[in-house]
Amino acid sequence: MAIVIKVAALSGSLRKASYHSGLIRAAIELSKGEIEGIEIEFIEISELPMLNTDLEINGTYPPIVEAFRQKILQADSILFASPEYNYSVTALLKNAIDWASRPPNVWAGKAASIVSAGGDFGGGRSHYHLRQIGVYIDLRFINKPEFFLLAFKPPPKFNDDGDLIDEEAKDKLKQVLLSLRAFTLRLQGKTKLEVTLIPRIIVEIS
């Protein structure tokens, strides 16, 4: 059996039919069917208060913030669906990142990947700002494959509800998830363990 990694997925968009939330739903669907060894949880960040250290009392955080921080802490890796606003990440996503980086920083040492959809660059400029942020908070981003989806270029990539319908894009998203899983296991030193477990299971079954 494959070692299972837990992925916390965050969307930087509030729109009801958000393409970025749709990318996360597609990733969850892939994790339940075509990819073994990965569990993805869509983490809600829209209700987090704007970062304000006056809300920190004696080293504790508001319950909604602490619950969010615990979700990140318990995850093995992170999947960011990051829209590009004004060549950068959204305020929504940055706020969540900032709350989880407050002491103790719960992002530190985790593997991460970024997906985006948009216009001429598919949201890609947001990736580079997010990677810069990751340097300071000690996230470890996969380098390849990169996922910039040209959302408005025919054929249609999403339906009216924001669900991903393009099969080529789904395949590329699958490759991102496989890369994230492999990198997470490598960071955790579990790659060799998984390799040794596979033949043992085959022998027992045969």
Side-chain angles (χ1 to χ4, degrees):
M1 294 178 63
I3 296 172
V4 177
I5 67 163
K6 296 182 178 180
V7 179
L10 282 67
S11 171
S13 176
L14 291 170
R15 192 167 64 89
K16 184 177 180 180
S18 164
Y19 293 163
H20 291 82
S21 297
L23 288 175
I24 292 178
R25 291 193 299 272
I28 292 172
E29 184 178 344
L30 287 168
S31 73
K32 292 179 178 179
E34 298 184 30
I35 304 175
E36 292 186 3
I38 188 168
E39 293 179 357
I40 303 173
E41 182 179 0
F42 198 151
I43 308 298
E44 178 59 58
I45 60 175
S46 64
E47 299 299 321
L48 292 174
M50 290 300 293
L51 181 70
N52 180 353
T53 54
D54 288 343
L55 299 177
E56 302 175 22
I57 301 173
N58 297 323
T60 64
Y61 297 94
I64 191 171
V65 173
E66 184 56 37
F68 166 66
R69 287 170 54 85
Q70 287 300 314
K71 291 283 189 181
I72 300 303
L73 183 64
Q74 293 164 13
D76 296 301
S77 54
I78 313 297
L79 174 63
F80 293 102
S82 179
E84 179 189 324
Y85 285 12
N86 298 323
Y87 277 34
S88 189
V89 300
T90 63
L92 174 70
L93 188 55
K94 183 61 163 59
N95 186 57
I97 291 170
D98 290 345
W99 270 123
S101 70
R102 296 293 296 160
N105 171 24
V106 295
W107 301 111
K110 296 185 186 296
S113 60
I114 313 168
V115 296
S116 65
D120 61 340
F121 196 9
R125 297 178 187 90
S126 72
H127 290 223
Y128 302 127
H129 268 193
L130 189 47
R131 287 176 181 272
Q132 283 182 307
I133 295 167
V135 171
Y136 187 75
I137 61 177
D138 295 325
L139 278 171
R140 305 289 189 262
F141 284 103
I142 64 170
N143 290 324
K144 292 185 176 71
E146 294 182 309
F147 187 102
F148 314 136
L149 182 59
L150 300 177
F152 309 112
K153 182 179 180 180
K157 306 300 189 299
F158 299 89
N159 63 20
D160 291 341
D161 294 321
D163 298 316
L164 184 65
I165 58 175
D166 184 84
E167 292 302 321
E168 183 179 353
K170 287 182 181 181
D171 185 64
K172 290 179 180 178
L173 181 59
K174 178 180 176 181
Q175 299 310 311
V176 170
L177 296 176
L178 288 172
S179 179
L180 177 61
R181 181 179 182 275
F183 187 48
T184 301
L185 292 176
R186 191 156 67 247
L187 282 180
Q188 295 178 342
K190 294 179 180 179
T191 305
K192 291 183 179 180
L193 175 62
E194 184 171 52
V195 170
T196 57
L197 283 175
I198 293 173
R200 185 179 303 167
I201 291 171
I202 294 174
V203 170
E204 290 176 355
I205 292 175
S206 60

